[in-house]
Amino acid sequence: MPTPPLAIRLHEGDGVVIARTDILPGTPIPGETVAAASRIPPGHKIATRAHAPGEPVRRYGQIIGIATKPIAPGEHVHSHNLGMGDHAKDYAFAREARPTDFVAEPATFQGILRPDGRVATRNYIGVLTTVNCSATVAQYVADAFRRNPFTGHDPLADFPHIDGVVALTHKTGCGMSDDEPLRILRRTLAGYAMHPNFAAILVLGLGCEVNQIPGLMEQGALDGKPRVRAMTIQATGGTPKTVAKGVEFVREMLADANAQGARTAVPASHLCVALQCGGSDGYSGISANPALGAASDLVVRNGGTVILSETPETYGAEHLLTRRAVSEQVGRKLVDLMEWWEEYTRKNGGELDDNPSPGNKAGGLTTILEKSLGAMAKGGTTNLVEVYRYAEPVTAKGFVFMDTPGYDPVAATGQVAGGANLVCFTTGRGSVYGCKPTPSIKLATNTPMFRRMEDDMDINCGTVIDGDETVPQCGDRIFRHMLAIASGERTKSEQWGFGAEEFAPWVQGATM
């Protein structure tokens, strides 16, 4: 097998290449007419031509920033000489939308068929809280059914088709305005309450909070649902009585939930996949993200749904998605989101280029434009069919976008509330994110990190960087792993019990 190149050129029009490995000063870059002027860390950028101050710098054939000082060929290109700048974007609404090439015989997985026809990938009983004030009591209820791997005690031993009882608590629900922040919280909680991966739900409140149970039940259309029970600590008579009553409800639901948990072959059109990236690095847009994009195309071609989110991490790349929108109306929804986020960050004394974290920058990403161009590759190449608000139910089939912050737990919480029954999460620095009730598959962008954190990573996409696999081959491997996980195989984060603490609804507005 040929030796992988020292640096990676992504587009013939780029003014930079990406170091595949640590490059020492004076090292000639094969295929380019430059030598490294200084040490270039893995995943970082090397200028292949001179750039004058104010001149755009391109990667992926797209502008990732503006030179803030003269950049000579062979120089390290990063925060010291590259910054943000305004440039025109041609949205070209719907110009590149094409008919989807659906597969003749869709793939299948072993799913859990609910009475209403929806399909689950896991089978949990959940305890949701209206407010942080009921969090501890909710946890006591779930703890009564917790398996203990050290003592062997298993309260669910007689119910093998139940994946667990989980309390999903949060830090808000009161001291908030009775408008959009409350609507977002209720939409999120209702989305979880009706998620197919829950066989039954207990909604637990304190009693005097802003997020009153009747309002939640009405907004979420939860009234009359036999699988949903609600109570407050104040009306029930305090902590011990509420815990006892909550445990009693769960016990009543165990037999039915277990009976619902048997798996059967279902088409892959029932997959609804949340696309996430966190701890991104300079390799994310080269290996794991485009490979996940190839897998996303396979999900869509099999009739399923993929949800791209993290609006601030799409900023600067939205013009590539509007071209794939099925209509100008859908494309303009995305542009409207970007304008809202510009105003939102401005109002709060920030800017969207604040998004790349110290870890992102250490991994080679410089601006939000560069990060976004790599992140959007997760969405593949099919048409953008719809744009949703945070935690709004996703009903369309195909590639869709949901408005969320870039912060991973908040973003994924919105996607799962929208109905995602699988999460695929790419990471270059090494995220250990997990999600209940939806399994989270972790995809490493590079082989060294995968080997260092193999107890947390599910798939190594560093094979693309190493030259051992093409992006389509890696994408096919990811798709097959999706089917296996959806059929009940455990992810690494599930093996370690991740997922309850990561529930994080988007908090907007002042805390009062």
Side-chain angles (χ1 to χ4, degrees):
M1 184 171 292
T3 302
L6 194 62
I8 302 168
R9 172 169 285 278
L10 300 176
H11 190 276
E12 61 182 10
D14 288 351
V16 297
V17 292
I18 314 304
R20 192 190 63 79
T21 187
D22 200 35
I23 299 177
L24 298 178
T27 304
I29 307 302
E32 309 291 339
T33 57
V34 299
S38 62
R39 176 182 169 270
I40 311 295
H44 284 242
K45 297 176 288 297
I46 312 162
T48 57
R49 65 172 183 82
H51 293 79
E55 185 180 350
V57 176
R58 293 179 181 270
R59 174 181 175 171
Y60 308 110
Q62 301 290 325
I63 296 172
I64 61 169
I66 306 297
T68 57
K69 58 179 67 172
I71 301 175
E75 277 195 28
H76 181 203
V77 178
H78 201 29
S79 303
H80 60 285
N81 55 15
L82 181 67
M84 287 284 283
D86 292 329
H87 61 279
K89 301 171 189 172
D90 180 8
Y91 292 123
F93 295 108
R95 191 176 298 170
E96 297 177 8
R98 299 289 184 271
T100 300
D101 180 23
F102 292 103
V103 300
E105 295 184 15
T108 63
F109 68 95
Q110 293 294 310
I112 300 165
L113 188 60
R114 296 300 188 195
D116 61 4
R118 296 184 303 160
V119 171
T121 58
R122 294 294 183 269
N123 192 35
Y124 281 95
I125 294 175
V127 186
L128 293 176
T129 56
T130 61
V131 66
N132 182 251
C133 307
S134 54
T136 297
V137 173
Q139 197 63 62
Y140 278 136
V141 174
D143 284 349
F145 302 92
R146 186 185 302 276
R147 298 179 173 100
N148 189 320
F150 301 103
T151 65
H153 176 64
D154 185 1
L156 299 177
D158 294 332
F159 306 97
H161 297 312
I162 296 178
D163 291 296
V165 178
V166 58
L168 298 177
T169 66
H170 55 90
K171 304 300 182 185
T172 185
C174 202
M176 64 194 306
S177 58
D178 188 8
D179 51 16
E180 187 62 13
L182 181 59
R183 285 192 291 272
I184 289 173
L185 176 60
R186 286 178 171 171
R187 194 161 66 231
T188 305
L189 292 171
Y192 271 73
M194 294 307 298
H195 198 284
N197 283 8
F198 280 125
I201 285 287
L202 171 63
V203 180
L204 188 58
L206 177 62
C208 56
E209 60 270 22
V210 170
N211 185 24
Q212 289 284 295
I213 283 179
L216 168 62
M217 302 294 277
E218 180 181 2
Q219 180 180 323
L222 302 177
D223 283 317
K225 304 291 185 185
R227 60 193 287 276
V228 179
R229 182 83 55 87
M231 66 181 75
T232 68
I233 298 168
Q234 291 169 354
T236 306
T239 297
K241 292 175 184 175
T242 306
V243 172
K245 196 168 182 180
V247 169
E248 179 185 359
F249 165 72
V250 174
R251 284 180 176 150
E252 288 173 3
M253 299 303 297
L254 288 176
D256 181 63
N258 189 67
Q260 286 189 37
R263 293 181 179 270
T264 187
V266 295
S269 58
H270 288 288
L271 287 179
C272 184
V273 184
L275 309 175
Q276 277 292 318
C277 57
S280 300
D281 66 357
Y283 296 132
S284 294
I286 304 173
S287 60
N289 287 351
L292 179 53
S296 296
D297 284 350
L298 290 174
V299 172
V300 173
R301 292 184 61 225
N302 277 270
T305 302
V306 294
I307 311 171
L308 183 66
S309 294
E310 301 178 292
T311 315
E313 296 179 12
T314 311
Y315 180 76
E318 72 272 16
H319 62 291
L320 301 178
L321 296 182
T322 56
R323 294 165 176 265
R324 292 160 48 192
V326 292
S327 67
E328 181 173 340
Q329 180 186 21
V330 170
R332 286 200 180 276
K333 286 183 182 181
L334 185 61
V335 175
D336 289 345
L337 292 182
M338 298 303 164
E339 293 174 352
W340 183 92
W341 275 93
E342 285 180 320
E343 178 60 22
Y344 179 65
T345 52
R346 190 180 302 117
K347 258 188 334 189
N348 288 280
E351 57 184 66
L352 285 161
D353 196 42
D354 295 336
N355 176 284
S357 69
N360 295 152
K361 293 186 176 184
L365 297 175
T366 306
T367 67
I368 186 57
L369 303 180
E370 182 180 18
K371 185 176 180 181
S372 294
L373 287 162
M376 66 154 285
K378 302 191 300 292
T381 62
T382 62
N383 297 338
L384 175 66
V385 299
E386 189 54 279
V387 175
Y388 291 95
R389 297 174 299 164
Y390 184 84
E392 192 174 11
V394 173
T395 56
K397 292 289 187 180
F399 168 51
V400 305
F401 190 90
M402 177 180 283
D403 182 30
T404 75
Y407 184 36
D408 311 316
V410 178
T413 294
Q415 292 171 308
V416 173
N421 56 16
L422 203 63
V423 174
C424 281
F425 192 120
T426 69
T427 180
R429 307 293 289 174
S431 171
V432 296
Y433 177 81
C435 181
K436 291 179 181 178
T438 297
S440 174
I441 301 171
K442 228 59 100 303
L443 294 85
T445 72
N446 62 90
T447 299
M449 187 275 285
F450 176 81
R451 289 174 176 164
R452 188 172 65 251
M453 298 185 66
E454 62 182 351
D455 291 330
D456 294 284
M457 298 297 113
D458 296 285
I459 293 179
N460 180 24
C461 301
T463 50
V464 174
I465 303 293
D466 301 337
D468 297 331
E469 201 172 27
T470 65
V471 165
Q473 288 170 338
C474 190
D476 182 70
R477 184 161 55 94
I478 293 168
F479 177 67
R480 285 185 277 108
H481 196 69
M482 286 182 188
L483 297 174
I485 296 299
S487 298
E489 183 178 315
R490 298 289 166 181
T491 65
K492 295 291 181 66
S493 64
E494 287 182 294
Q495 293 172 22
W496 294 116
F498 279 88
E501 297 300 327
E502 288 76 8
F503 177 69
W506 186 7
V507 178
Q508 283 191 23
T511 299
M512 295 175 284

